[in-house]
């Protein structure tokens, strides 16, 4: 199974002091994944005894244990808002298990839904139901502002080397989207970012969330900035983050979609997003 895991994003990124990003404007809102004219009816949930959401503790900033020992994160706050929107707060629970336990626990009835960043695949769609995506994780460019100079878009990187990590979907996506740009391949993300910080490459192309935290954190020491433009591809990056439940419970899937639509329209989904991504990832 694939998962939208941040391979090198650890809890230190949550606690690390955030520096101002050079020339950064206001962070952009979440892209709207719901049609403004769409209506999703709210199913009758009066017969629902309880709604237990399963998650993990190793996917910061989506789910993690905070400094007070409490389960926290984007997914945790989102689940609470979903339950509030559906008027079933008293019936809602959130519990953490290991990643390996998520699917068996859902199938065995130890929970009703999973909010843990599991990537949707055709195989999993045969076994489970999935909500509409509520967030997509983009690929982005980050530049060394001294080495790259004034770069407003990828065209400004022509003739300059762009770092990518070997064997990743972002390397394949970079070569497909930007065939005229020069790729410099690194064996891992740490090597790539170290080269960017030293100006050995003018730019890198990688996961927008990872780059947002790195550029804003102390490790970058103000060397670098994100280039405007977030790149999405279902082929390379998947459908996005969803909530998974049992396939035999379509009413629950519809209820969650109803709540996500309402949270998107009211702006509460953006509020949660900016709580955990104050510098934005788009």
């Amino acid at each position: 199974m694939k998962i939208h895991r941040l391979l090198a994003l650890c809890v230190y990124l949550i606690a690390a002091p955030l520096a101002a990003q050079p020339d950064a404007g206001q962070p952009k809102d979440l892209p709207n994944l719901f049609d403004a004219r769409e209506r999703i009816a709210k199913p009758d949930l009066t017969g629902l005894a309880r709604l237990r959401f399963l998650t993990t503790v190793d996917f910061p900033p989506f789910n993690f244990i905070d400094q007070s020992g409490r389960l926290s994160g984007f997914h945790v706050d989102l689940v609470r808002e979903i339950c509030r929107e559906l008027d079933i707060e008293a019936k809602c629970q959130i519990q953490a298990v290991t990643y390996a336990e998520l699917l068996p626990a859902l199938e065995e009835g130890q929970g009703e839904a999973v909010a843990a960043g599991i990537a949707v695949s055709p195989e999993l769609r045969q076994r489970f139901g999935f909500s509409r995506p509520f967030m997509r994780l983009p690929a982005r460019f980050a530049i060394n502002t001294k080495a790259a100079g004034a770069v407003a878009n990828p065209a400004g990187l022509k003739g300059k080397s762009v770092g990518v990590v070997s064997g990743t979907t972002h390397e394949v996506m970079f070569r497909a989207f930007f065939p005229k740009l020069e790729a410099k391949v690194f064996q891992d993300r740490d090597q790539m970012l170290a080269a960017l910080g030293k100006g050995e490459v003018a730019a890198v192309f990688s996961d927008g969330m990872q780059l947002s935290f790195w550029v804003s954190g102390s490790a970058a020491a103000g060397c670098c900035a994100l280039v405007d433009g977030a790149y999405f591809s279902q082929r390379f990056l998947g459908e996005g983050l969803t909530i998974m439940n049992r396939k035999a419970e379509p009413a629950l899937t519809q209820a969650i979609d109803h709540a996500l639509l309402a949270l998107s329209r009211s702006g509460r989904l953006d509020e949660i997003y900016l709580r955990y991504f104050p510098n934005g990832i788009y």
Side-chain angles (χ1 to χ4, degrees):
M1 285 178 298
K2 295 180 180 179
I3 189 166
H4 292 292
R5 294 288 171 184
L6 309 185
L7 298 179
L9 182 59
C10 300
V11 175
Y12 81 88
L13 287 174
I14 302 298
L18 296 179
Q21 183 178 317
D23 301 320
Q26 291 296 316
K28 294 180 180 178
D29 291 343
L30 277 168
N32 188 359
L33 301 180
F34 293 89
D35 191 315
R37 300 163 295 179
E38 189 172 8
R39 298 291 182 269
I40 301 176
K42 177 182 176 182
D44 182 3
L45 299 178
T46 54
L48 182 69
R50 59 183 173 177
L51 178 50
R52 296 166 296 176
F53 286 88
L54 304 173
T55 189
T56 65
V57 298
D58 61 350
F59 189 23
F62 289 97
N63 8 282
F64 61 96
I65 300 296
D66 67 17
Q67 294 178 344
S68 65
R70 297 179 59 190
L71 183 61
S72 302
F74 179 99
H75 279 140
V76 176
D77 287 2
L78 176 62
V79 163
R80 290 178 177 138
E81 285 295 324
I82 288 172
C83 292
R84 185 175 294 116
E85 183 63 37
L86 295 175
D87 299 319
I88 55 171
E89 292 174 89
K91 297 181 179 182
C92 277
Q93 301 172 19
I94 310 171
Q95 58 192 65
V97 298
T98 67
Y99 175 66
E101 294 173 315
L102 285 171
L103 271 58
L106 182 61
E107 289 182 311
E108 294 166 10
Q110 298 174 31
E112 284 69 51
V114 171
I118 292 180
V120 182
S121 69
E123 294 76 18
L124 286 178
R125 280 202 177 276
Q126 294 295 319
R127 298 168 56 192
F128 300 101
F130 290 88
S131 74
R132 295 273 295 276
F134 54 82
M135 187 178 190
R136 288 185 177 146
L137 304 181
R140 294 198 63 178
F141 286 94
I143 60 169
N144 182 298
T145 52
K146 291 183 179 178
V151 173
N153 54 56
L157 294 170
K158 189 173 182 180
K160 299 178 170 64
S161 57
V162 178
V164 292
V165 177
S166 175
T168 62
T169 56
H170 292 97
E171 180 195 4
V172 181
M173 183 176 172
F174 173 78
R175 295 184 187 280
F177 277 43
F178 307 101
K180 295 183 179 180
L181 297 184
E182 175 189 346
K184 183 171 182 179
V185 179
F186 293 88
Q187 291 305 305
D188 59 49
R189 177 176 171 271
D190 289 341
Q191 289 182 2
M192 180 185 72
L193 293 179
L196 179 65
K198 296 174 184 176
E200 295 172 357
V201 292
V204 299
F205 184 78
S206 188
D207 178 82
M209 179 161 45
Q210 293 182 10
L211 290 178
S212 174
F213 277 104
W214 185 81
V215 164
S216 305
S218 56
C223 71
C224 304
L226 295 176
V227 177
D228 280 347
Y231 299 91
F232 301 90
S233 170
Q234 185 169 324
R235 173 187 173 191
F236 294 113
L237 304 179
E239 296 182 29
L241 298 178
T242 65
I243 292 175
M244 183 173 70
N245 67 295
R246 285 185 288 272
K247 197 175 185 67
E249 299 173 345
L252 179 56
T253 307
Q254 183 177 331
I256 293 171
D257 284 343
H258 168 86
L260 290 172
L261 174 60
L263 295 175
S264 177
R265 285 182 175 161
S266 69
R268 282 181 286 167
L269 189 57
D270 273 317
E271 290 174 9
I272 301 171
Y273 159 66
L274 290 174
R275 191 178 303 158
Y276 291 97
F277 304 96
N279 291 297
I281 63 174
Y282 300 102

